[in-house]
Amino acid sequence: MSFLANTLSRVKPSPTIAISTKAKDLKAEGRDIIALSAGEPDFDTPQNIKDAAIAAINSGKTKYTAPDGMPELKEAICAKFKRENSLNYTPTQVSVGTGGKQILYNALMATLNPGDEVLIPAPYWVSYPDMVLLAGGEPTFVAASIENKFKITPEALEAAITPKTKWFIFNSPSNPTGAGYTWDELRALTDVLLRHPHVWVMSDDMYEHLAYDGFKFCTPAEVEPKLYDRTLTTNGVSKAYAMTGWRIGYAAGPVELIAAMRKIQSQSTSNPCSVSQWAAVEALNGTQDYLPENNVMFKRRRDLVVSMLSEIEGVTCPTPEGAFYVYPFISGLIGKTSAGGTQITNDEAFATALLEETGVAVVFGAAFGLSPAFRVSYATSDEALKDACTRIQGFCNGLKAS
């Protein structure tokens, strides 16, 4: 009998972390590696946020806080939701965790029973299905097509809901595709959800502030206020404020759900880092001037990557509305053989050969539930992106028919 829990046999390690780790190991060996696998902005955390953290340390604000966040941060989160999303919450409706991932996990752990289904649009962030499995639920999927720019249709959502569906996870702009839903597109989905009152909505808004070409972000409870009482609206400071390592995520929702999440957190990690919480207060309450400035750079990088990858025969690369990812489809490359002798049988073989033969690390599409494709994170310098895309072009153009 294995000493380990049976639950672990249902889940796998994060593919994005595994690939990023492999890229770091190869770089440590002296290989010339360009990692486009991690979803992490290359910008430094803004100075005003760092100053707030330093001030917190110097003033001794380094003790325990309330298990799911201190009052000052919860007030800042409520103000943010009202100011930016027209959503009214009180501090008792807010939970703060050690990153957005913990917030989502706590909510699933607090609500799922064996047999409960969680509906996840595909492509999806790699952790959604495995968190559902760890919490004892069953992930089910509704596929989005490249023809619809990786956005699901109301008809597909309607068809995927069953009497066992407990949650619908919604992520816009999306990881891994960058696809963003307009107000009208989201309204069509919320109209479906109104017809199924047993389905709760988990909205992952982590990429809210990363939007381009005039795309206007919106969130489900904002579009359809009738969903307010069964929606958990989640967000964090990691992506917009370049605070990935600070580990602060948050959510707002019904008091009963937030209380259950608090109970779980009180018996697991307890409070997030106190210094990080004070930094997050400044991130939310302080100047937001750098957000549009950063977006100008992200948009330039997006356009560079889309342009260069679209030049490759056999590759289709839609232009995303937000986040900092592109998700090229490689149907035209499957079945070919690389210059190093690897047969490209699927997108995992493509990504493996690309890393080994060119030193460019990307994440294969099967990890996100829709193949054949790969994900590029363009949250790195223009120079690195040009070099990486040139290598990808050379690799793809060197593929031979088997």
Side-chain angles (χ1 to χ4, degrees), residues 228-261:
Y228 176 89
D229 289 333
R230 53 184 169 110
T231 296
L232 183 72
T233 303
T234 73
N235 212 314
V237 297
S238 295
K239 312 298 183 179
Y241 302 100
M243 295 176 66
T244 50
W246 299 76
R247 308 309 300 134
I248 295 292
Y250 59 83
V255 170
E256 183 180 11
L257 173 58
I258 296 298
M261 293 166 61

Side-chain angles (χ1 to χ4, degrees), residues 37 73 99 147 179 186 224 226 251 254 268 296 305 320 352 361 384:
S37 49
L73 181 51
E147 291 79 15
L186 183 49
E224 179 46 80
K226 293 177 183 177
S268 54
V296 169
V305 172
T352 300

Side-chain angles (χ1 to χ4, degrees), residues 239-304:
K239 312 298 183 179
Y241 302 100
M243 295 176 66
T244 50
W246 299 76
R247 308 309 300 134
I248 295 292
Y250 59 83
V255 170
E256 183 180 11
L257 173 58
I258 296 298
M261 293 166 61
R262 182 185 309 119
K263 181 186 295 186
I264 289 172
Q265 192 158 308
S266 72
Q267 296 291 9
S268 54
T269 62
S270 194
N271 69 273
C273 171
S274 60
V275 174
S276 294
Q277 290 190 63
W278 283 108
V281 170
E282 175 62 24
L284 296 176
N285 286 347
T287 179
Q288 309 292 302
D289 290 348
Y290 39 73
L291 295 180
E293 295 172 2
N294 289 352
N295 278 9
V296 169
M297 287 185 274
F298 276 135
K299 180 183 182 301
R300 183 180 68 240
R301 295 170 177 182
R302 179 204 67 175
D303 293 343
L304 167 68

Side-chain angles (χ1 to χ4, degrees), residues 66-380:
D68 65 340
M70 62 190 193
E72 293 86 349
L73 181 51
K74 290 190 175 186
E75 290 285 359
I77 290 166
C78 291
K80 173 262 183 283
F81 277 127
K82 184 173 182 63
R83 179 178 69 246
E84 298 181 348
N85 309 114
S86 301
L87 293 173
N88 293 309
Y89 292 108
T90 64
T92 59
Q93 294 177 277
V94 173
S95 179
V96 182
T98 306
K101 184 178 287 188
Q102 185 182 30
I103 289 292
L104 300 173
Y105 183 71
N106 285 350
L108 295 169
M109 286 294 295
T111 57
L112 292 181
N113 295 308
D116 287 343
E117 296 177 352
V118 177
L119 186 56
I120 305 170
Y124 45 73
W125 179 44
V126 295
S127 293
Y128 292 146
D130 290 291
M131 286 194 291
V132 170
L133 290 167
L134 282 170
E138 299 296 332
T140 61
F141 307 100
V142 53
S145 67
I146 188 173
E147 291 79 15
N148 204 40
K149 296 192 68 177
F150 302 119
K151 290 181 275 192
I152 65 170
T153 64
E155 295 78 15
L157 175 60
E158 182 79 60
I161 293 173
T162 77
K164 294 182 179 180
T165 305
K166 196 159 196 176
W167 283 102
F168 168 59
I169 297 181
F170 180 74
N171 177 217
S172 169
S174 158
N175 176 5
T177 67
Y181 289 73
T182 66
W183 185 283
D184 289 342
E185 288 170 337
L186 183 49
R187 165 68 76 181
L189 298 183
T190 60
D191 284 347
V192 173
L193 294 166
L194 285 177
R195 295 195 289 271
H196 299 276
H198 67 291
V199 179
W200 282 52
V201 182
M202 184 179 293
S203 184
D204 182 352
D205 298 351
M206 189 63 72
Y207 297 92
E208 169 183 1
H209 290 295
L210 302 172
Y212 319 114
D213 300 328
F215 174 77
K216 301 296 184 182
F217 170 83
C218 53
T219 193
E222 175 188 17
V223 171
E224 179 46 80
K226 293 177 183 177
L227 292 175
Y228 176 89
D229 289 333
R230 53 184 169 110
T231 296
L232 183 72
T233 303
T234 73
N235 212 314
V237 297
S238 295
K239 312 298 183 179
Y241 302 100
M243 295 176 66
T244 50
W246 299 76
R247 308 309 300 134
I248 295 292
Y250 59 83
V255 170
E256 183 180 11
L257 173 58
I258 296 298
M261 293 166 61
R262 182 185 309 119
K263 181 186 295 186
I264 289 172
Q265 192 158 308
S266 72
Q267 296 291 9
S268 54
T269 62
S270 194
N271 69 273
C273 171
S274 60
V275 174
S276 294
Q277 290 190 63
W278 283 108
V281 170
E282 175 62 24
L284 296 176
N285 286 347
T287 179
Q288 309 292 302
D289 290 348
Y290 39 73
L291 295 180
E293 295 172 2
N294 289 352
N295 278 9
V296 169
M297 287 185 274
F298 276 135
K299 180 183 182 301
R300 183 180 68 240
R301 295 170 177 182
R302 179 204 67 175
D303 293 343
L304 167 68
V305 172
V306 170
S307 174
M308 292 188 71
L309 296 185
S310 295
E311 293 174 0
I312 304 171
E313 186 176 352
V315 173
T316 303
C317 188
T319 301
E321 289 83 5
F324 39 64
Y325 310 106
V326 296
Y327 199 71
F329 243 53
I330 56 170
S331 302
L333 305 181
I334 301 301
K336 295 186 176 183
T337 302
S338 73
T342 298
Q343 187 171 11
I344 309 303
T345 53
N346 52 41
D347 50 30
E348 185 172 4
F350 173 90
T352 300
L354 182 69
L355 177 58
E356 292 175 350
E357 297 182 28
T358 75
V360 177
V362 300
V363 187
F364 56 92
F368 305 104
L370 191 66
S371 297
F374 64 98
R375 189 194 75 173
V376 168
S377 168
Y378 54 84
T380 190

Side-chain angles (χ1 to χ4, degrees), residues 7-21:
T7 302
L8 288 178
S9 65
R10 306 181 74 201
V11 303
K12 59 187 181 300
S14 167
T16 53
I17 294 176
I19 292 167
S20 296
T21 300

